[in-house]
Amino acid sequence: MRKAVLAYLLSAMSLAMPQGVLAQSHDTHAPPPPETLAGWAKGAKLYDGLGTFHRKVTTRSKLAQRYFDQGMRFIWAFNHDEATRSFAKAAEIDPRCASCYWGVALTLGPNYNMPMMSSARARIGLEALRKARVNERRATPVERALIAAVALRYAGAEQVDPSNSGPLLKNYVDAMRKVAARYPNDLDVQTMYAEGLMNTNPWKLWKADGTQNPGTQQILDALQKVLKRDPKHPGANHYYIHAVEASQHPEQALASAEVLTGMMPSAGHLEHMPAHIMQRVGRYEQAAEANRKGAAADLAYIKETAPPDYYPMYLIHNFQFLAASAGMEGRRAETIEALRTARQHMPDAMLMAMPGLDWGAGFIYDGYTKFGMWDEMLAEPAPSARLTGATIHYLQARAEALAAKGRLDEAAGELAKADKLIAAVPADATQGNNAAKPLYEIGQLKARARLAAAGGRRHEAIALLTQAVSQEDKLAYNEPNDIIFPTRPMLGNALMAAGKAAEAEAVFRDDLKRHPNNGWAYLGLSQALAAQNEGAEAAEARVQFEKAWGKADVKLATAAF
């Protein structure tokens, strides 16, 4: 989600996002977030399909306990606003339930996919904290410890964002470290401590080369201890996927991905989460299915209720991720449909309110160029000129389509327009999890390579694609990647066209290391090996291609269109 999330995407755009914008976009018709504790409680209801997680708190009301448990389930599933509703309702049912107020204060604050808290949320959180403290005398020691810890994330009612959240998040983690040490057998506490650590460095747990950043090992240690004792803990499994997905060994979380499958079928984001690992290990159909189920659950949830703020971003994330997975399987129709649906949920008005999201809105253009749908790309309407990232993306894809159709002068004209826009982009502008300019530059290199190849300049095309691949390798992790479809098959294809089969073989093998089991690279590898008279290996690669392409709806002649 950052990032779909999204979220992926979420943290990149959240600082500029007016509260309630997402909820009011497209067809959700939701009101702005409530501005009182009672307002949050008013929207609450009990849901089926959320599993069986239970954490006993101090309350005599069975109904309040049910709402509290539901709030915890929504925390584990990253639907923090619905968790707030549940906790607020629990507190309304039992006004003496200190932990119910604690849940409100916890969920209104920053999280892994939303690193901010508006002043309106902060005011409600402070009110909940005051009521938690008034009632904490009858609570258990661990409940009182958690209340004291979450209080450290508040410093008045001012807005919290990455410019000022560092000390607050650190204070909270320091307090939770002590709580975790005091209650080593409380697995929920251990999991929340790990989440607190994650929130101090969201989406930056690993470097681009897959090595750890400082603090990551502490997160892994905490979550692994929980999972050793409770392999089915919903929060620990969810967070462990995030903790290892960008590492060199994402397969470490395969067990977590499998455990979460179907655990909470009404929680769309948790249904989607296995995709983060399945995509990395080359199990693309399972990744696609996780996103189908996640999208279906989120659509049902949004239809049933009115999410008060940013949760619909997770729905968009599901569709974009589905496209990335289906695209690797050669499922053209599903890829394009998913990307069109994602774009429908990202109207220009919403994108203009959230800088840093519009490059991802252009993934539909990548879908057209990935599958050689040149006429469809040329028929695509232009986005608003105010959306610089989407416009650059659009111009680059148009240039590729025009070049493929032999309209070289027009293609060059589109690239010249994009060059002017890129030159004016501030150095600190972001898109997804990355600086904006490197993404734009990769797009330019790919489009110029298409133009060079169409003009018979094969060696120039190879040089341009080599630069593009080198820059792509330096990008920060995101899911799906901020370059949604990898560039290496294009480079390998260009090398094959130039008669450089041995170099192409190396490129395709490298792509398979980074994106295991993908048919695009297997086909290219088989052709590169055959060109070198490596018949047996070529045949084996062809078998792997046929296996990977079993659900495809397109035929490939080469590794890229």
Side-chain angles (χ1 to χ4, degrees):
M1 242 279 119
R2 178 119 90 180
K3 185 191 122 49
V5 109
L6 126 70
Y8 63 24
L9 300 172
L10 282 171
S11 69
M13 57 81 182
S14 61
L15 294 182
M17 182 177 68
Q19 296 295 299
V21 166
L22 272 170
Q24 297 175 59
S25 70
H26 194 55
D27 58 358
T28 55
H29 302 299
E35 295 189 0
T36 65
L37 191 57
W40 281 97
K42 185 177 180 181
K45 60 180 292 184
L46 291 171
Y47 293 87
D48 295 323
L50 295 177
T52 60
F53 176 86
H54 170 67
R55 178 176 177 81
K56 181 71 176 75
V57 292
T58 304
T59 178
R60 294 180 180 178
S61 168
K62 292 182 178 180
L63 186 57
Q65 179 69 62
R66 285 183 67 189
Y67 270 104
F68 180 89
D69 286 342
Q70 179 170 274
M72 292 300 300
R73 294 170 192 175
F74 277 124
I75 286 179
W76 303 141
F78 272 15
N79 189 340
H80 294 86
D81 281 354
E82 199 61 52
T84 304
R85 283 172 159 171
S86 295
F87 289 129
K89 184 67 174 179
E92 182 179 79
I93 295 166
D94 181 0
R96 297 200 301 166
C97 176
S99 281
C100 299
Y101 296 114
W102 161 84
V104 171
L106 179 69
T107 51
L108 285 172
N111 61 66
Y112 197 64
N113 283 334
M114 180 54 73
M116 70 170 290
M117 174 172 56
S118 69
S119 57
R121 288 171 180 261
R123 286 193 298 271
I124 299 169
L126 286 171
E127 178 188 353
L129 274 172
R130 285 193 294 270
K131 292 185 175 183
R133 285 166 168 159
V134 166
N135 291 284
E136 69 179 358
R137 284 177 295 177
R138 58 193 296 270
T140 63
V142 68
E143 290 177 279
R144 293 197 296 271
L146 290 172
I147 292 167
V150 80
L152 298 176
R153 292 208 318 187
Y154 287 80
E158 67 270 18
Q159 175 174 302
V160 174
D161 59 52
S163 71
N164 62 1
S165 64
L168 299 176
L169 295 175
K170 182 181 182 300
N171 291 342
Y172 174 70
V173 166
D174 290 343
M176 284 301 297
R177 183 179 294 110
K178 294 175 183 176
V179 179
R182 196 183 318 162
Y183 300 99
N185 295 323
D186 190 322
L187 302 187
D188 302 333
V189 166
Q190 306 305 313
T191 303
M192 287 186 281
Y193 164 54
E195 182 193 19
L197 285 168
M198 291 168 63
N199 291 342
T200 64
N201 198 27
W203 293 96
K204 296 178 182 177
L205 305 183
W206 302 85
K207 300 182 178 72
D209 64 0
T211 57
Q212 290 183 9
N213 275 318
T216 298
Q217 191 59 50
Q218 292 174 269
I219 298 167
L220 298 177
D221 290 344
L223 293 174
Q224 286 166 352
K225 288 178 182 176
V226 173
L227 292 173
K228 185 176 182 179
R229 295 183 59 184
D230 182 3
K232 295 187 177 181
H233 192 286
N237 280 292
H238 181 174
Y239 304 159
Y240 191 59
I241 287 175
H242 280 308
V244 304
E245 62 182 310
S247 73
Q248 295 174 345
H249 295 286
E251 71 277 2
Q252 294 176 92
L254 270 172
S256 290
E258 290 166 351
V259 163
L260 289 183
T261 301
M263 177 184 282
M264 292 168 59
S266 294
H269 187 66
L270 209 65
E271 279 287 278
H272 141 93
M273 276 306 299
H276 288 233
I277 299 302
M278 298 306 182
Q279 184 83 357
R280 288 292 325 275
V281 301
R283 290 163 63 170
Y284 301 114
E285 178 53 28
Q286 287 173 278
E289 183 63 9
N291 284 296
R292 292 182 198 114
K293 289 181 176 178
D298 280 339
L299 285 169
Y301 164 68
I302 290 169
K303 182 178 180 180
E304 186 173 356
T305 189
D309 202 1
Y310 63 88
Y311 188 81
M313 278 302 304
Y314 287 103
L315 173 65
I316 297 167
H317 178 52
N318 291 339
F319 283 116
Q320 290 180 328
F321 208 148
L322 171 57
S325 303
M328 296 298 274
E329 294 185 279
R331 295 171 63 86
R332 178 175 60 192
E334 185 170 32
T335 300
I336 299 302
E337 179 62 24
L339 290 173
R340 284 175 175 160
T341 303
R343 185 64 171 96
Q344 288 166 6
H345 285 274
M346 304 168 76
D348 285 1
M350 184 189 86
L351 293 169
M352 283 185 274
M354 296 181 292
L357 188 64
D358 54 318
W359 173 262
F363 285 161
I364 180 60
Y365 314 140
D366 292 309
Y368 293 137
T369 58
K370 177 68 172 176
F371 286 100
M373 300 172 69
W374 314 123
D375 291 334
E376 289 83 352
M377 180 61 233
L378 294 176
E380 189 74 10
S384 168
R386 294 172 60 187
L387 298 172
T388 302
T391 300
I392 291 169
H393 213 153
Y394 172 78
L395 292 170
Q396 291 168 343
R398 274 186 60 84
E400 286 201 56
L402 289 165
K405 292 180 74 67
R407 296 159 61 179
L408 305 189
D409 290 342
E410 293 175 76
E414 299 294 77
L415 286 176
K417 294 176 190 176
D419 275 332
K420 290 182 181 179
L421 292 175
I422 294 169
V425 172
D428 61 351
T430 60
Q431 288 282 358
N433 280 358
N434 285 281
K437 280 203 169 183
L439 296 176
Y440 303 158
E441 289 165 0
I442 292 168
Q444 287 293 89
L445 289 165
K446 290 166 63 177
R448 290 194 188 285
R450 183 83 68 179
L451 184 57
R457 304 188 305 278
R458 291 175 176 172
H459 294 289
E460 180 183 342
I462 290 169
L464 291 164
L465 288 170
T466 299
Q467 285 182 260
V469 165
S470 177
Q471 291 195 36
E472 190 173 325
D473 289 348
K474 297 173 185 176
L475 295 177
Y477 174 80
N478 206 350
E479 36 67 40
N481 292 328
D482 289 327
I483 300 295
I484 189 171
F485 301 116
T487 304
R488 273 186 173 80
M490 291 179 66
L491 173 57
N493 215 41
L495 288 164
M496 287 295 294
K500 298 177 179 290
E503 294 177 50
E505 176 192 347
V507 168
F508 290 127
R509 289 192 186 279
D510 196 4
D511 194 50
L512 284 164
K513 288 179 182 177
R514 297 166 185 273
H515 308 99
N517 301 327
N518 87 81
W520 304 87
Y522 269 131
L523 178 62
L525 178 61
S526 71
Q527 293 173 339
L529 290 167
Q532 299 173 78
N533 297 315
E534 299 288 348
E537 286 189 79
E540 175 58 27
R542 182 73 192 194
V543 169
Q544 294 300 322
F545 163 70
E546 298 289 352
K547 182 178 179 181
W549 221 241
K551 293 183 178 294
D553 57 9
V554 294
K555 292 183 179 180
L556 286 186
T558 58
F561 282 93

